[in-house]
């Protein structure tokens, strides 16, 4: 009898330990930092497929989407500050409910336009400086086995896939790299977008391979994003793996561990 009681007590202790561990992890994830895995190439070469980033959820405060399954009983945003142009932001897609990561380009009241692959903000051209060539192997990437798009296409399996890289400097002085694939793609020439009050305009750094605010939500794009859908600011890459499985240690990118996101 004593042995059965001891076994029962041990099981109950294990259940309580698991409960508190999950509760603490849930609170930490909700209030402070959320891990986010990069599944696509829309933010190359700032973020690569297989990067794991920490998202600072304190940066912009909290909304209902700060909790898993949008369960936070919050209207609008609380305890927040305004995001800055150039921030790399994780947000909830208003239509399909997926979490996405893009760079914040347009603030409320801004006008945004692309002309011949160059960004214009409030009627002023955003300067780009050539910064060499981004190269990678043309092969399946990550668990989804995505194949990269190449400026030098067609490229055979195992060949070198290239894209022109530029350093873009936004009006507030923040600089980041952008990649070019097509010389005259759909997103390279757009109408003028005027960002409504309380909303934001996002773009991927891999400009010709990013479904972002240049595209409406009805065709799978982001469109203008209301502030309540912001989740947090991506500050740092904590881990990176080029393989289809995280535990394939020979595919780890040690040079990207704990790298700050610019």
């Amino acid at each position: 009898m004593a042995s059965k009681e001891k076994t029962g007590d041990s099981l109950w202790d294990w259940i309580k330990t698991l409960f508190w561990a999950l509760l603490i992890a849930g609170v930490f994830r909700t209030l402070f930092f959320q891990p986010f895995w990069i599944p696509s190439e829309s933010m190359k070469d700032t973020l690569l497929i297989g990067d794991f980033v920490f998202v600072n959820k304190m940066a912009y405060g909290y909304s209902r989407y700060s909790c898993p399954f949008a369960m936070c009983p919050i209207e609008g945003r609380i305890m927040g500050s305004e995001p800055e142009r150039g921030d790399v932001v994780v947000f909830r897609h208003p239509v399909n409910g997926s979490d996405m990561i893009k760079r914040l380009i347009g603030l409320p009241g801004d006008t945004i336009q692309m002309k011949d692959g160059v960004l214009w903000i409030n009627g002023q051209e955003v300067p780009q400086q050539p910064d060499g060539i981004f190269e990678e192997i043309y092969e399946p990437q990550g668990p989804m086995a995505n194949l990269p798009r190449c400026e030098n296409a067609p490229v055979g399996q195992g060949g070198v896939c290239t894209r022109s890289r530029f350093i873009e400097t936004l009006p507030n002085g923040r600089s980041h790299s952008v990649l070019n694939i097509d010389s005259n793609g759909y997103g390279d020439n757009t109408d003028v977008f005027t960002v409504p009050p309380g909303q934001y305009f996002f773009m991927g750094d891999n400009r010709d391979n990013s479904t972002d605010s240049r595209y409406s939500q009805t065709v799978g794009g982001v469109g203008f994003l209301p502030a309540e859908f912001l989740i947090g600011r991506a500050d740092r890459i904590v881990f990176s793996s080029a393989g289809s499985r995280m535990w394939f240690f020979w595919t780890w990118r040690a040079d990207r561990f704990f790298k700050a996101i610019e």
Side-chain angles (χ1 to χ4, degrees):
M1 181 68 69
S3 177
K4 290 183 178 180
E5 290 177 356
K6 186 175 181 179
T7 300
D9 290 342
S10 298
L11 178 61
W12 178 239
D13 288 341
W14 181 86
I15 292 173
K16 287 191 296 183
T17 300
L18 178 62
F19 169 79
W20 286 111
L22 292 174
L23 180 62
I24 292 170
V27 170
F28 183 86
R29 183 183 184 278
T30 298
L31 296 180
F32 302 110
F33 294 98
Q34 174 180 328
F36 185 84
W37 171 72
I38 305 302
S40 72
E41 61 176 330
S42 69
M43 282 296 293
K44 286 181 179 178
D45 66 336
T46 303
L47 297 171
L48 305 181
I49 293 176
D51 283 347
F52 283 80
V53 304
F54 264 179
V55 179
N56 182 351
K57 303 186 77 170
M58 298 174 285
Y60 310 135
Y62 305 96
S63 73
R64 59 180 294 197
Y65 299 102
S66 299
C67 292
F69 312 109
M71 293 177 61
C72 284
I74 300 172
E75 291 294 330
R77 300 199 72 82
I78 62 172
M79 301 171 61
S81 59
E82 292 298 316
E84 296 182 9
R85 195 192 313 275
D87 286 355
V88 177
V89 180
V90 172
F91 55 87
R92 183 69 49 83
H93 192 285
V95 175
N96 63 34
S98 63
D99 288 348
M100 302 181 70
I101 186 166
K102 306 286 182 186
R103 191 176 297 275
L104 175 55
I105 296 297
L107 302 174
D110 283 344
T111 61
I112 307 293
Q113 187 176 21
M114 293 291 291
K115 298 181 183 180
D116 297 323
V118 176
L119 174 64
W120 289 65
I121 298 178
N122 296 327
Q124 299 294 317
E125 180 179 350
V126 177
Q128 290 186 355
Q129 295 296 324
D131 190 44
I133 301 295
F134 173 71
E135 297 182 348
E136 60 184 341
I137 301 301
Y138 186 78
E139 61 184 1
Q141 299 179 351
M144 299 171 65
N146 296 334
L147 286 169
R149 289 185 60 203
C150 312
E151 189 176 13
N152 62 329
V155 178
Q157 189 88 359
V160 178
C161 174
T162 66
R163 270 154 283 184
S164 299
R165 178 168 49 204
F166 301 86
I167 298 298
E168 183 175 83
T169 302
L170 297 171
N172 59 353
R174 295 180 65 172
S175 297
H176 59 275
S177 65
V178 295
L179 301 182
N180 181 72
I181 300 174
D182 301 320
S183 59
N184 194 28
Y186 174 79
D188 286 333
N189 291 280
T190 70
D191 295 332
V192 176
F193 300 97
T194 301
V195 185
Q199 301 190 41
Y200 300 95
F201 191 97
F202 290 90
M203 294 176 67
D205 291 348
N206 193 3
R207 290 284 165 81
D208 295 318
N209 198 19
S210 174
T211 305
D212 46 42
S213 290
R214 291 171 291 177
Y215 306 89
S216 71
Q217 296 170 7
T218 58
V219 296
V222 176
F224 299 124
L225 187 85
E228 68 173 320
F229 291 94
L230 303 179
I231 292 176
R233 184 183 65 223
D235 287 339
R236 190 168 297 273
I237 301 165
V238 294
F239 176 81
S240 183
S241 172
S244 59
R245 297 291 184 271
M246 186 172 62
W247 54 85
F248 290 176
F249 63 88
W250 57 90
T251 67
W252 293 356
R253 306 182 186 107
D255 61 321
R256 299 183 67 79
F257 289 11
F258 306 106
K259 181 180 179 181
I261 298 173
E262 298 179 353

